[in-house]
Amino acid sequence: MKITLPKSNSPVLTNKQKLHFLPQLVMISCFMFLLSASAFAQSVVKGVVLDNEKMPMAGVTIQAKPGTAKAQTDVEGKYSITVPTGGTQLVFSFVGMETQTVSINNQTVINITMASLNNLDAVVVIGYASVKKSDLTGAATTVSAKDFNKGPLNAPDQLIQGKVAGVQMINNSGQPGGASTVRIRGNSAITGTGQPLYVVDGVALDGRSARPSTNAGVGGLTASAGTGTTPDGNPLNFINPADIESMEILKDASATAIYGSRAAYGVVLITTKRGKSGETKIDVNASAGVGSIARKVDVLTGDEYRAALKKYNLTAGDFGTSVNALDEVLRPAYNQNYSVGISGGTNGNTFRASLAYQNQQGIIKASDFKKYSAGFNGNFKFLESKKLGLDVNMISNQYLENIAPITTDAGFTGSLISQALSWNPTQSFYNPDGSLFIDYGSTTINPLAALAANSDKAKVSTILGSLSPYYKITPWLEYRMLASVNYSTGIRRSSTRSTLNLQGIQPDGAFKGGFASYSNTELVTQQFTNTLNFNKEIASKLNLNAVIGYEYSNFVNKAAINTATGFGDIAVDYTDAFEATLPVNRTFVTSNDPTTELQSYFARAIFNYDSKYILTATFRADGSTKFGANNKYGYFPSFAAAWDVKKESFLSDAQWFNQLKLRLGYGKTGNQDFPSGSSQQRFVIRGVDGLVGINNANPDLKWQEDKQTNIGLDFGFLNNKLTGSIDYFNKVTSDLLFPQSAFSPAAPNGVITWYNLDGEVQNKGLEISLNANIIDNDNLSWSVGGNVTFIKNTVKNLTGLIRTGSLSGQGLSGVNLEVIKNGLPLFAMVTREYNGLDTEGFSTYTDDGFTKYYLGNPNPKAIMGLSTSLSYKKFTFTANLNGSFGQSIYNNTANSVLAISNLGNRNIASALINSGIQESLANPIAASSRYIEKGDYVKLANATINYNVGNIGKAIKSLNIYVNGQNLFVITNYTGFDPEVNVNKSINGVPSAGIDYTAYPTVRTFNFGVNFSL
């Protein structure tokens, strides 16, 4: 305030000064009054925001309209916002959820439930970029964390079983941490795994596991010792399922062509959980449970066995007691699972760290699986403009396995399951002095002695790390670089004690007996990716979303194995005492595969005109060292278009449906899933033999190709209460990669040459997905989702015959069941046609068994999944079923392990005694359609009851308790342990399908768990 002094020297009177201030004071008073009136006109609105599962949502943005006032919900979902004068609406927004606008209408408390996006505006990861779901032209399905299968799962692929049309996921056995089979739109692999490409946060995995295999048997035993090969582990075990936010399944060539030569079998994009801006949050999950065998094979009890002996007038074979050998090797299997996630961030810089521990016992004694996991990811922004950013990801994991002595190709002496099933139920496992009964000189193995004699331990350590700096050049142009390393190493110690009465193991003269192996594997994958992303409206109503990129990857595989025999009965673990054996009884082998390098250039452009007409074009060029000098590069284009019919003016008044989009796509992808160095002349050095050839060069070896056409329709009705899609696909695989020797395809121990065969494998079918929100209100909600896929598989234009599907066990040495042949489905079962028993109790066959016929198809004609979620107030029930129909299963176990000729020495299948004609004990064991069974099934794979307790005090937020069950029941006529089975019965690298042989039984598990936030 300026005060003007009078010019005279008169004193300045105080009252005069006060008069000068009076006008200003009046103005200030009026201003303060207006301010307070304005403040008085403001209102405060409070409330709670929940998701569609009635869980509190943190980080939801609330904005008053009109105006700029904003607030965010806390970890309890609570918010408070001061609404200025004139504010009439609150806008609630959150990534992945529908934005909601609510009128205030003088309310001071507004609680809302946010719904997930209706799959139109949701952001979808499609490879090297993200787009809105409404911009998709290909066949892709997203499964988010809330829709995952629940329970103590070991690997990510188990999360989506039954969830996606066109995707079949099979647990190969009940082994903890065991391998699974995932097929996207059918089976087309005649070599390799046929598994999809998995991409974790932009890093492509190579599909291998560092757990050393025992392709020479348990502990390295040879097939002559009768033990066989143990099943593989799951290469995805290193990923903690609790850290996964969503999984995107890319199915057709339009969606997968951006991954080129590795996308022939589909692509699964895994996105891990990220931190969100706001207060630091701790998420805790804990569960424990117990498992038991889900289903048993019917064999004779002790009393039934004695009755059978009497029926057949046999005087030997009754040892006077009654035992159940399978029960003796089984146990209640307890599991524990704990995970902690810590996340938070400010100013756009976010982080998430996690720790997890899993301890899962197997139902087979001495088998278990332990896993330790840690993860970290951070998203950081720099500069005042925040244009420079850095994404950091790390996954580290170590898992330990005790592997049961259960094998896929054991001989007539069997492995643990066959030994237990065939054990004479009238014979004790123990001698009178309490020691284990071991019948030296006999081929009958006491299953408890086998458990005691075998030890097989594996340890696999993995770290996957990536750095991805990026710079946002303009609001519509971004450069990004990604550098990653995936390092994994595995150690396996296997041994079989000399106490077991097994040829090659038990002492024999100067040979002390016993066997051990120590092996290790090292896998390294490096990936360097550079991309430039463009997203801008380039003309009126025309938007271009494009990406171009360059990528380089290399793959290293090294291994070593030590074996030794002749330990004798020493008091230490054999794998700690190789020096206890004679030098002549030891072997040491190392290997180093030729390094595979992959260099790629790729581009994709999505043109969107007026949000109605969408065109996508993709191209990728891959150069690989695996292929011949004349065909180093493969080229993989795709094109797709979509028409959003609902947005046309002639349908604008059709209020009864909300979405109608047509999609059409065609593209080509490739496959390089075969051994490194297959196009090169390769040798190994073998002692005095020097260089020995193992692979001939083929400079013309080229890429296997998959050409796929897809026609799809997406729809939504009744305010999207009913949504779904229908897709027709036709996929043709050509230039099939296959190894041949000079005399026959992939002859054992022969020098092979890799060729491209002339034949094709066609998979065509129809996918239907439906989702219905039947009831949706505050206290009660009910949704149902289902999918079904009809598929036909055919081999075309193939010259010659490829054999696979080896059968194992007594009387079946050298017998194969399946063929790859023109006009038949892949892995067609070709064998004798069984016509029943004659009056003498002997098997009869068409043409006396001299002619073999196509009698079984292991490929399903239809697969399905069904899920439901029912919520009432704080209770929620979810259930997930899956099924498969039209496929055949060959019961190799019934064929060779439980045959009638066992009676008097070993156990038999119960059904053999109850048949109308008494089967002769001399009826020879032979492969035939007698053991081809219908594999149709429907399984309740997962069910959960959840109770949302809510907050407890100020510390515990969003407490939930739940009870979960897995493999609760299966409806099937199959007589084996489980129709969901796929034992590896390959021959020289040619896969098989649908053969069941003494697999690790499926586990039924019940779990109790809690989760909450702090």
Side-chain angles (χ1 to χ4, degrees):
M1 180 183 296
K2 182 177 180 181
I3 300 176
T4 303
L5 297 175
K7 294 181 180 179
S8 66
N9 293 326
S10 303
V12 179
L13 299 177
T14 305
N15 288 341
K16 291 282 186 180
Q17 184 176 342
K18 287 182 179 178
L19 290 174
H20 272 281
F21 274 108
L22 188 58
Q24 288 92 335
L25 289 174
V26 171
M27 292 179 63
I28 291 172
S29 298
C30 292
F31 179 69
M32 294 299 295
F33 174 79
L34 291 173
L35 277 180
S36 89
S38 174
F40 184 78
Q42 291 179 339
S43 61
V44 176
V45 179
K46 299 179 179 180
V48 177
V49 181
L50 306 176
D51 63 16
N52 50 12
E53 294 184 350
K54 312 306 179 187
M55 300 294 294
M57 293 187 61
V60 176
T61 298
I62 303 97
Q63 181 172 359
K65 291 289 187 179
T68 58
K70 290 184 179 181
Q72 274 196 336
T73 56
D74 60 19
V75 293
E76 299 179 356
K78 295 178 180 179
Y79 72 93
S80 176
I81 184 171
T82 301
V83 181
T85 303
T88 60
Q89 295 178 323
L90 294 182
V91 179
F92 297 81
S93 60
F94 188 81
V95 175
M97 309 296 282
E98 290 182 355
T99 298
Q100 294 190 33
T101 302
V102 180
S103 296
I104 298 175
N105 294 331
N106 296 320
Q107 300 177 85
T108 58
V109 177
I110 297 178
N111 300 324
I112 73 160
T113 298
M114 299 197 75
S116 298
L117 284 170
N118 60 5
N119 291 328
L120 296 178
D121 297 319
V123 175
V124 178
V125 179
I126 58 170
Y128 304 103
S130 300
V131 299
K132 286 185 178 181
K133 179 78 172 180
S134 57
D135 288 350
L136 275 181
T137 54
T141 302
T142 300
V143 184
S144 59
K146 67 182 181 62
D147 297 319
F148 287 159
N149 292 319
K150 305 297 190 288
L153 306 176
N154 302 122
D157 48 10
Q158 298 170 320
L159 297 171
I160 59 172
Q161 186 179 33
K163 296 289 185 179
V164 181
V167 178
Q168 182 185 29
M169 185 272 173
I170 299 172
N171 290 297
N172 293 353
S173 73
Q175 171 185 308
S180 61
T181 299
V182 177
R183 297 279 181 259
I184 297 179
R185 292 188 165 180
N187 198 350
S188 58
I190 67 168
T191 55
T193 65
Q195 300 276 66
L197 171 69
Y198 291 91
V199 181
V200 181
D201 293 328
V203 180
L205 308 181
D206 67 1
R208 298 176 295 178
S209 171
R211 190 187 89 169
S213 64
T214 55
N215 56 9
V218 173
L221 295 173
T222 61
S224 62
T227 58
T229 306
T230 57
D232 293 331
N234 194 321
L236 300 178
N237 280 335
F238 76 96
I239 303 172
N240 178 19
D243 284 341
I244 297 177
E245 181 70 29
S246 66
M247 297 175 70
E248 184 82 18
I249 297 87
L250 311 182
K251 296 183 287 187
D252 74 333
S254 169
T256 62
I258 194 72
Y259 289 102
S261 64
R262 293 190 281 174
Y265 306 125
V267 180
V268 178
L269 307 179
I270 298 174
T271 302
T272 58
K273 294 177 180 177
R274 292 287 186 269
K276 297 179 176 65
S277 293
E279 296 181 0
T280 300
K281 179 183 178 184
I282 301 176
D283 296 313
V284 180
N285 294 274
S287 70
V290 62
S292 59
I293 188 170
R295 200 161 175 264
K296 293 184 177 181
V297 174
D298 289 331
V299 294
L300 299 182
T301 65
D303 290 339
E304 290 170 341
Y305 196 81
R306 278 183 277 271
L309 293 174
K310 184 177 181 181
K311 181 177 182 179
Y312 276 85
N313 298 316
L314 296 177
T315 57
D318 182 4
F319 294 92
T321 187
S322 292
V323 298
N324 187 318
L326 185 61
D327 284 350
E328 288 295 319
V329 301
L330 296 174
R331 66 177 177 185
Y334 297 98
N335 72 78
Q336 303 175 65
N337 303 269
Y338 307 98
S339 66
V340 177
I342 304 173
S343 61
T346 57
N347 299 322
N349 298 311
T350 61
F351 74 94
R352 184 178 186 274
S354 65
L355 294 171
Y357 168 71
Q358 182 178 41
N359 186 345
Q360 184 177 349
Q361 290 183 338
I363 57 171
I364 300 295
K365 292 176 179 176
S367 65
D368 58 48
F369 179 88
K370 295 180 181 179
K371 181 161 71 171
Y372 307 85
S373 303
F376 175 82
N377 62 65
N379 307 99
F380 307 105
K381 295 181 179 179
F382 307 96
L383 307 180
E384 185 177 352
S385 64
K386 305 297 184 182
K387 290 184 176 181
L388 178 64
L390 176 66
D391 294 342
V392 180
N393 289 277
M394 187 200 72
I395 297 173
S396 60
N397 174 276
Q398 184 178 91
Y399 66 84
L400 311 173
E401 288 182 276
N402 279 308
I403 303 168
I406 296 173
T407 61
T408 63
D409 54 0
F412 69 95
T413 52
S415 64
L416 185 67
I417 294 299
S418 58
Q419 292 157 1
L421 289 175
S422 63
W423 182 258
N424 187 326
T426 70
Q427 187 171 19
S428 174
F429 305 107
Y430 300 97
N431 295 312
D433 63 0
S435 61
L436 286 169
F437 171 72
I438 301 175
D439 189 6
Y440 291 104
S442 168
T443 57
T444 299
I445 308 295
N446 182 341
L448 299 190
L451 269 178
N454 281 291
S455 174
D456 193 0
K457 301 177 183 294
K459 178 172 70 175
V460 178
S461 304
T462 302
I463 183 166
L464 171 62
S466 68
L467 292 173
S468 182
Y470 62 92
Y471 185 76
K472 206 166 187 64
I473 303 168
T474 69
W476 42 266
L477 186 64
E478 178 183 285
Y479 166 76
R480 179 179 289 269
M481 190 271 280
L482 182 144
S484 70
V485 175
N486 186 1
Y487 177 83
S488 187
T489 181
I491 297 173
R492 189 164 183 175
R493 295 169 173 261
S494 306
S495 63
T496 306
R497 306 287 299 188
S498 62
T499 54
L500 198 63
N501 58 317
L502 191 63
Q503 184 180 2
I505 294 298
Q506 64 186 12
D508 184 10
F511 177 65
K512 296 181 179 180
F515 189 99
S517 71
Y518 180 97
S519 52
N520 69 276
T521 301
E522 183 180 39
L523 302 176
V524 184
T525 301
Q526 295 176 306
Q527 176 183 321
F528 302 93
T529 307
N530 292 270
T531 58
L532 193 63
N533 288 270
F534 177 98
N535 193 353
K536 180 178 172 55
E537 187 175 20
I538 57 176
S540 177
K541 297 184 180 181
L542 178 62
N543 190 83
L544 172 61
N545 186 335
V547 59
I548 59 173
Y550 168 80
E551 187 169 83
Y552 169 81
S553 303
N554 64 55
F555 311 88
V556 175
N557 179 13
K558 298 180 180 181
I561 181 169
N562 299 276
T563 66
T565 60
F567 292 88
D569 190 16
I570 59 177
V572 297
D573 188 313
Y574 285 174
T575 60
D576 292 329
F578 274 50
E579 65 276 13
T581 65
L582 297 175
V584 70
N585 290 342
R586 304 175 203 160
T587 65
F588 181 65
V589 178
T590 61
S591 65
N592 185 358
D593 286 352
T595 298
T596 297
E597 295 179 285
L598 184 66
Q599 178 174 260
S600 309
Y601 304 88
F602 55 88
R604 179 181 57 228
I606 303 173
F607 295 91
N608 184 331
Y609 180 74
D610 201 19
S611 297
K612 289 190 290 188
Y613 313 108
I614 306 166
L615 176 67
T616 301
T618 305
F619 180 79
R620 180 162 178 141
D622 278 337
S624 173
T625 57
K626 283 188 175 183
F627 290 94
N630 300 330
N631 290 291
K632 285 293 183 186
Y633 276 86
Y635 303 98
F636 308 100
S638 76
F639 304 92
W643 176 27
D644 196 335
V645 186
K646 177 62 177 71
K647 292 186 178 179
E648 295 291 350
S649 58
F650 59 82
L651 288 178
S652 59
D653 295 331
Q655 301 299 319
W656 56 279
F657 71 90
N658 309 91
Q659 181 188 9
L660 186 65
K661 185 170 80 171
L662 290 171
R663 293 177 283 105
L664 174 65
Y666 172 83
K668 184 168 69 172
T669 54
N671 170 35
Q672 58 159 5
D673 184 17
F674 68 110
S676 177
S678 295
S679 66
Q680 303 170 5
Q681 189 75 40
R682 295 178 60 202
F683 302 88
V684 294
I685 303 173
R686 290 179 179 163
V688 296
D689 296 328
L691 291 177
V692 177
I694 59 171
N695 195 96
N696 291 322
N698 181 0
D700 296 321
L701 189 67
K702 61 182 179 180
W703 302 79
Q704 181 173 304
E705 292 183 349
D706 278 59
K707 299 175 181 178
Q708 186 173 174
T709 301
N710 190 90
I711 303 173
L713 174 68
D714 302 324
F715 54 85
F717 299 97
L718 306 175
N719 200 26
N720 284 320
K721 284 187 174 294
L722 178 65
T723 60
S725 63
I726 300 173
D727 282 85
Y728 166 80
F729 62 90
N730 188 343
K731 182 172 68 171
V732 178
T733 305
S734 60
D735 294 324
L736 304 168
L737 292 163
F738 192 75
Q740 292 181 322
S741 68
F743 300 101
S744 63
N749 303 319
V751 180
I752 62 172
T753 305
W754 281 82
Y755 293 99
N756 296 100
L757 301 182
D758 293 332
E760 300 173 342
V761 179
Q762 181 186 54
N763 287 278
K764 62 180 180 179
L766 185 70
E767 300 172 351
I768 303 173
S769 297
L770 290 173
N771 295 282
N773 290 319
I774 301 171
I775 301 173
D776 187 10
N777 57 50
D778 289 341
N779 290 326
L780 179 65
S781 62
W782 180 31
S783 63
V784 177
N787 64 81
V788 61
T789 303
F790 304 95
I791 191 167
K792 183 179 181 182
N793 176 283
T794 310
V795 177
K796 294 184 174 183
N797 304 319
L798 180 67
T799 302
L801 185 75
I802 301 172
R803 299 184 183 276
T804 187
S806 64
L807 299 182
S808 302
Q810 186 175 357
L812 297 176
S813 297
V815 176
N816 65 274
L817 173 74
E818 298 176 338
V819 301
I820 301 173
K821 187 177 185 298
N822 186 48
L824 299 180
L826 208 58
F827 313 126
M829 296 178 179
V830 175
T831 187
R832 300 174 182 87
E833 185 174 33
Y834 177 71
N835 293 323
L837 299 173
D838 63 17
T839 56
E840 301 298 321
F842 288 89
S843 297
T844 62
Y845 307 100
T846 301
D847 193 25
D848 292 329
F850 291 107
T851 303
K852 294 182 179 180
Y853 301 89
Y854 163 50
L855 298 167
N857 180 4
N859 303 289
K861 296 178 181 177
I863 55 177
M864 59 80 68
L866 180 65
S867 302
T868 186
S869 178
L870 176 65
S871 296
Y872 176 70
K873 294 186 176 180
K874 293 189 173 186
F875 286 95
T876 301
F877 169 75
T878 59
N880 302 288
L881 297 94
N882 65 78
S884 184
F885 310 93
Q887 76 276 16
S888 302
I889 299 176
Y890 193 87
N891 195 335
N892 192 171
T893 305
N895 189 176
S896 63
V897 177
L898 301 173
I900 192 66
S901 56
N902 283 358
L903 193 62
N905 296 296
R906 303 180 184 182
N907 210 342
I908 62 173
S910 299
L912 299 179
I913 296 300
N914 301 320
S915 61
I917 299 175
Q918 182 168 309
E919 185 172 355
S920 171
L921 297 178
N923 191 24
I925 293 174
S928 74
S929 62
R930 180 181 187 179
Y931 304 102
I932 296 177
E933 302 186 36
K934 290 184 177 180
D936 301 359
Y937 72 89
V938 174
K939 178 183 288 189
L940 179 56
N942 200 284
T944 303
I945 298 174
N946 182 88
Y947 180 71
N948 178 17
V949 178
N951 301 335
I952 298 180
K954 295 183 178 180
I956 297 178
K957 315 296 181 184
S958 307
L959 173 65
N960 287 275
I961 59 175
Y962 63 88
V963 177
N964 166 266
Q966 294 176 288
N967 297 316
L968 295 176
F969 68 77
V970 60
I971 302 172
T972 185
N973 289 325
Y974 180 60
T975 60
F977 286 122
D978 192 341
E980 184 191 336
V981 67
N982 187 29
V983 176
N984 181 5
K985 304 297 292 180
S986 62
I987 296 178
N988 297 309
V990 181
S992 64
I995 300 177
D996 184 8
Y997 183 60
T998 65
Y1000 195 118
T1002 300
V1003 184
R1004 178 184 293 117
T1005 306
F1006 294 95
N1007 311 286
F1008 173 80
V1010 298
N1011 55 69
F1012 57 89
S1013 299
L1014 298 173

